[in-house]
Amino acid sequence: MGNNEPPGLLGRLRERLTTRPCVRFDPVEGTIVHVSGPLSVRELPVAAVRRVEAGNRDDASYDTVFLFFHADDDLLAVSEHDKGFAALVDALGSVFPGIDGWQAAVPPVKYQLTSVDLWVRE
């Protein structure tokens, strides 16, 4: 099974019981699946996404970059530290051209907030 294929029934159950945040793209359903904790799963259809933004948040010793997927009535935030983040960026590169530039949200100066639009639906 490739990285972009959805897991089987047992894999989905294990995914939903995880304690470490993880994210993946489900090409069959056309959704971004984000698991932020045990039994905390959010799915966002890529067809509903209107804008993809990269931004950062200051942590104690480093900046963490997030991808924000904006939909009409929803917002999904995915951290660069979530398991599967790199695979998600690779998988969505053809859907949202420019998403691979997410590192542009790393601020040139520590503890400075940065926001970069990576993709906007026309």
Side-chain angles (χ1 to χ4, degrees), residues 66-112:
F66 289 84
L67 287 180
F68 299 97
F69 296 92
H70 297 268
D72 288 334
D73 298 329
D74 202 1
L75 173 69
L76 177 63
V78 176
S79 167
E80 68 176 310
H81 298 296
D82 291 349
K83 180 181 173 186
F85 180 84
L88 176 75
V89 170
D90 287 342
L92 294 179
S94 61
V95 179
F96 305 121
I99 195 173
D100 57 343
W102 65 271
Q103 292 175 328
V106 175
V109 178
K110 281 187 171 189
Y111 308 115
Q112 175 183 357

Side-chain angles (χ1 to χ4, degrees), residues 54-58 63-66 68 105-107 109-116:
N56 69 321
R57 182 183 80 196
D58 293 328
D63 288 302
T64 299
V65 176
F66 289 84
F68 299 97
V106 175
V109 178
K110 281 187 171 189
Y111 308 115
Q112 175 183 357
L113 293 180
T114 307
S115 174
V116 178

